[in-house]
Amino acid sequence: MPVAGLLLLLCLAIAFCGLTYAVRPAGPEVVAPGRLAVVRAALMTAVFAVLTVEGLGAIGRLSLVPLAAAWLVFVVAALAAAALRHRRAPWRPRLRPRHWWREAGLAERLLAGTVGGLLLLELLVALLAEPNNFDSQTYHLPKVEHWVAQGSLELWPTAIHRQVTIPPGAEYLLLHLRLLTGGDGLYHLIQWGAGLGAVLLVSRITAQLGGGRRAQLLSAFVLACTPMVVLQATSTQTDLVVAAWVGVVATLVLDGLRRPPSATMVLGLGAATGLTALTKTSGLLGVGPMLLFWGVVQLRTALAGDHRAVKAARVMGASVLVLAAAAVVTGPFMARMTVEFDHPLGPPRLRESIPMQRHDPASILVNGVRIAHTALDVPVPPLTAATAAGIVAFAGAIGVDPQDRAITFGKETFPVPAWYPDEDRAAFPITGTLALIALALAVIRPARLITADRRNELRGYALAVLASGILHIVMIKWQTWGNRLLLYALVLAVPLVGLWLDTLLRRRAASGRRPVATVVISAVLAVAAVAGLLSVVYGYPRRLVGAESVLTNDDWETRFIRRPQWADEYRWAADAVRDSGARRIGLVQLNDDWEYPWWLLLRDPDGGSPQIVSLRSTLPERPAADPATVDAIICAGARRECERLTPAGWRLEHRDHVGYALPPG
């Protein structure tokens, strides 16, 4: 990593701390003000990062110098804001960390220590491991390299439509790291930071719903120990990022329930909504019900007092401004999609592959039970086989084919084993079961979780969470790797778990049955902690110990853990093309092949991007390059297509998966 890039990143970290200090809320009535300050600073930083990419991309200046200049302005502004805030209102913390630790009991210390330990282990893996997520090799990371090579966000011909059609919010953040550091060594910090943010968010939401310190720690513990959260926190996937933005919307909604709309509230909700949509549109299934909850409460409050018409109009105006602020963040990307595909959500292929195409009650019910089965999968084969067989039989009894492509993604087949700690599939039976029970109690009997003055608030929040889950079942097809798509729903539901467990402990203590409740809850939490620890230690495809450990594997082996048989083939083909002196290189691949390794292997000695152009394109308005215009051809997973596109007289070499072609002489 260049020294200049490292220094700039250090300055950015200091600036973020300064910004957190500057935007901290005032007033004793604010719940968890420190965590709210972090939320505000994260929102402002992310919006700045997104708009900077959009602005520089629009003028074709996506490169190190302009980007560094923009961040230097941000650093100066953040530190100046912090100094001004300190002069006007110096920080006087209510409770210093060391005092909190002294006051905490043994159980609370164990909860906090486990969460902190897991986060530190995840950080170690995140810093040591090279990106090796399958989707990232195919489209997440190649799109970053295309932006760097072009210096703009202009779409390009590609055989992998997801490189240009999937919302790029998380990749925008990766682009900053790519340009500032010159590589991908810090890429995992985006999802790790999102995981840390999600833990802080669930604890704050718990506090907003009336939970005390133990309830907040329980929520943080349950989420932090969830295998999918642990695994995603060291990945270049995007599910944890979108889950964090959905959690931001939820915490800001709860802040806004008891006060009229303000500019800060509206801009915060709009920014978080826009970042959610720009990262992954499925996150809007969680955002929508939360915003509706906020709007209904605001409207009811406005209609309950004097000047009803004026107050109601103010609420409606605030709702419109939330959408307008979201459009500022996500609008440029959606505009490019509309121009290219005549639809803001991209081509029909994308819009029809993931969303449900049947919405009759029977199909929705079958989709829901399949999603639940995969999410709650356990390592007990007879049990999972029996329940899966029951679901298949039930589907047949009500006239639904459980493998129907209209309710099943791609060519996947239900059921699939999902209990193993794999970043794409890992089930969460403990967190999921606790969440379902707590959600049911919060909707049906909120009095069992919280005091009387918060019951309506809690029930309204729980109904919004329930609506999010129902929308997910109605809108998203079952798929093999669907568990990671549910992370946003877990972030919304886990605060209810913390409230329920804490209430259960308190009620059993009051009735004299505390030892039994304590033993049962402690056992469940202990199993959850073991699951979280095993996920970070033995999780796939990045693990700390055993075979394929990030401590012993070299960087190339780590990158190809998913497909080790391809590692030498990519190097073999890249070496031949580089030795030929080729400058313009044609690429032949299919929709699910790995493009990212080519960008690493063919990079110029000075770090400059290679000139790679696709010889196949799924974009109707952007034709593929002519093979006659390139100096060499590289192929992955498409031997017949490579043979078809290789000019006559060229020498074609091909192994099992990878090949290359060079002109004569």
Side-chain angles (χ1 to χ4, degrees):
M1 180 189 304
V3 175
L6 182 61
L7 290 175
L8 186 54
L9 287 176
L10 179 61
C11 290
L12 291 180
I14 296 172
F16 182 82
C17 294
L19 186 60
T20 301
Y21 184 90
V23 300
R24 71 189 193 280
E29 74 285 353
V30 179
V31 177
R35 279 166 278 179
L36 178 56
V38 172
V39 168
R40 289 177 174 177
L43 269 180
M44 295 174 68
T45 303
V47 169
F48 176 84
V50 166
L51 296 183
T52 299
V53 168
E54 289 287 1
L56 293 177
I59 60 176
R61 296 297 303 277
L62 267 179
S63 57
L64 174 59
V65 173
L67 189 73
W71 278 115
L72 286 174
V73 172
F74 177 86
V75 169
V76 171
L79 296 180
L84 182 61
R85 181 64 187 275
H86 184 73
R87 182 181 304 173
R88 292 181 176 178
W91 182 41
R92 294 183 177 85
R94 301 176 190 174
L95 186 64
R96 297 181 185 278
R98 65 175 180 272
H99 294 160
W100 178 91
W101 188 258
R102 289 173 185 170
E103 292 182 4
L106 176 60
E108 292 177 344
R109 291 184 181 184
L110 286 174
L111 292 172
T114 302
V115 172
L118 282 174
L119 288 170
L120 288 176
L121 286 175
E122 292 161 13
L123 178 60
L124 178 63
V125 176
L127 292 174
L128 290 177
E130 285 72 27
N132 61 2
N133 171 264
F134 194 102
D135 285 348
S136 296
Q137 306 275 27
T138 301
Y139 66 94
H140 288 306
L141 303 188
K143 70 169 67 174
V144 175
E145 295 301 323
H146 278 283
W147 293 332
V148 173
Q150 296 176 168
S152 73
L153 300 176
E154 182 181 358
L155 305 187
W156 55 90
T158 176
I160 304 173
H161 74 90
R162 292 166 293 174
Q163 291 182 0
V164 296
T165 58
I166 296 290
E171 290 88 344
Y172 280 0
L173 304 181
L174 294 177
L175 175 61
H176 287 272
L177 293 177
R178 168 68 175 86
L179 288 173
L180 293 175
T181 67
D184 59 14
L186 299 181
Y187 275 9
H188 291 145
L189 293 185
I190 299 298
Q191 283 258 110
W192 181 84
L196 173 61
V199 169
L200 294 176
L201 284 163
V202 296
S203 69
R204 183 169 194 265
I205 293 171
T206 305
Q208 290 174 288
L209 293 172
R213 185 170 65 193
R214 184 173 60 184
Q216 297 171 46
L217 285 171
L218 285 167
S219 295
F221 179 92
V222 169
L223 185 72
C225 292
T226 302
M228 182 60 79
V229 174
V230 172
L231 295 162
Q232 288 272 319
T234 64
S235 173
T236 45
Q237 270 288 8
T238 63
D239 305 281
L240 205 47
V241 176
V242 74
W245 294 134
V246 173
V248 169
V249 172
T251 198
L252 295 181
V253 162
L254 290 174
D255 274 339
L257 294 182
R258 299 193 176 192
R259 65 190 70 173
S262 65
T264 300
M265 182 191 306
V266 168
L267 291 176
L269 287 172
T273 300
L275 289 168
T276 300
L278 189 64
T279 304
K280 204 159 199 169
T281 51
S282 59
L284 294 177
L285 301 177
V287 168
M290 284 294 158
L291 291 180
L292 181 61
F293 174 40
W294 172 77
V296 169
V297 172
Q298 287 286 342
L299 194 58
R300 287 184 61 184
T301 303
L303 295 177
D306 298 330
H307 310 293
R308 299 177 183 177
V310 174
K311 291 181 179 179
R314 188 176 300 165
V315 171
M316 299 302 293
S319 302
V320 172
L321 288 176
V322 168
L323 298 179
V328 171
V329 176
T330 193
F333 169 72
M334 296 182 72
R336 288 194 293 276
M337 292 297 98
T338 302
V339 170
E340 191 74 22
F341 303 107
D342 296 323
H343 197 286
L345 298 181
R349 181 178 183 180
L350 178 65
R351 303 197 306 271
E352 297 171 1
S353 60
I354 297 176
M356 286 275 285
Q357 294 172 289
R358 287 182 57 179
H359 296 93
D360 55 284
S363 295
I364 293 171
L365 181 58
V366 170
N367 194 50
V369 294
R370 290 183 308 165
I371 289 174
H373 181 273
T374 305
L376 304 178
D377 191 28
V378 294
V380 184
L383 176 61
T384 57
T387 52
I391 291 172
V392 171
F394 170 72
I398 61 175
V400 177
D401 177 4
Q403 318 302 344
D404 185 355
R405 296 304 107 189
I407 62 172
T408 304
F409 179 83
K411 299 180 180 179
E412 304 302 310
T413 301
F414 175 83
V416 294
W419 65 267
Y420 186 79
D422 183 302
E423 67 174 354
D424 286 332
R425 294 190 182 188
F428 32 83
I430 297 175
T431 306
T433 301
L434 293 175
L436 289 174
I437 296 172
L439 178 60
L441 287 173
V443 171
I444 300 170
R445 299 190 65 182
R448 299 196 59 163
L449 302 185
I450 207 65
T451 56
D453 62 327
R454 297 275 186 149
R455 291 175 191 173
N456 290 336
E457 202 168 288
L458 176 62
R459 176 175 277 154
Y461 178 85
L463 286 172
V465 176
L466 178 61
S468 298
I470 293 173
L471 282 174
H472 189 99
I473 293 170
V474 171
M475 299 296 295
I476 306 295
K477 295 176 180 177
W478 176 87
Q479 52 186 277
T480 300
W481 41 87
N483 286 345
R484 60 186 177 84
L485 302 182
L486 290 167
L487 277 179
Y488 75 89
L490 282 185
V491 168
L492 294 178
V494 160
L496 303 176
V497 175
L499 289 172
W500 173 49
L501 294 179
D502 181 58
T503 303
L504 191 62
L505 289 172
R506 286 190 286 105
R507 288 181 180 274
R508 293 300 182 269
S511 65
R513 291 180 290 171
R514 181 174 181 177
V516 175
T518 301
V519 169
V520 173
I521 293 174
S522 297
V524 171
L525 296 181
V527 174
V530 171
L533 181 61
L534 291 177
S535 295
V536 72
V537 173
Y538 292 104
Y540 193 74
R542 294 166 300 280
R543 58 180 47 157
L544 271 176
V545 302
E548 302 174 337
S549 166
V550 298
L551 299 174
T552 57
N553 268 21
D554 68 30
D555 63 339
W556 201 245
E557 289 176 327
T558 300
R559 293 181 188 278
F560 281 84
I561 280 178
R562 289 283 190 189
R563 296 291 185 272
Q565 67 274 22
W566 294 353
D568 289 339
E569 293 192 14
Y570 269 88
R571 272 184 166 164
W572 161 74
D575 287 344
V577 170
R578 189 170 50 250
D579 291 345
S580 74
R583 299 300 303 166
R584 181 175 166 87
I585 303 164
L587 173 62
V588 181
Q589 61 187 358
L590 302 180
N591 184 59
D592 218 26
D593 287 317
W594 289 11
E595 180 178 321
Y596 185 58
W598 299 124
W599 292 95
L600 297 174
L601 291 167
L602 297 173
R603 190 172 292 172
D604 294 340
D606 62 358
S609 298
Q611 188 180 2
I612 299 176
V613 296
S614 180
L615 301 185
R616 301 181 72 246
S617 178
T618 61
L619 277 63
E621 303 299 322
R622 298 186 184 268
D626 186 342
T629 66
V630 301
D631 304 320
I633 294 174
I634 47 178
C635 312
R639 181 166 189 157
R640 290 185 179 179
E641 193 69 3
C642 193
E643 292 172 347
R644 184 181 70 83
L645 292 171
T646 299
W650 283 37
R651 176 171 59 91
L652 173 63
E653 301 284 345
H654 206 289
R655 292 187 177 177
D656 289 338
H657 185 76
V658 172
Y660 68 90
L662 296 173

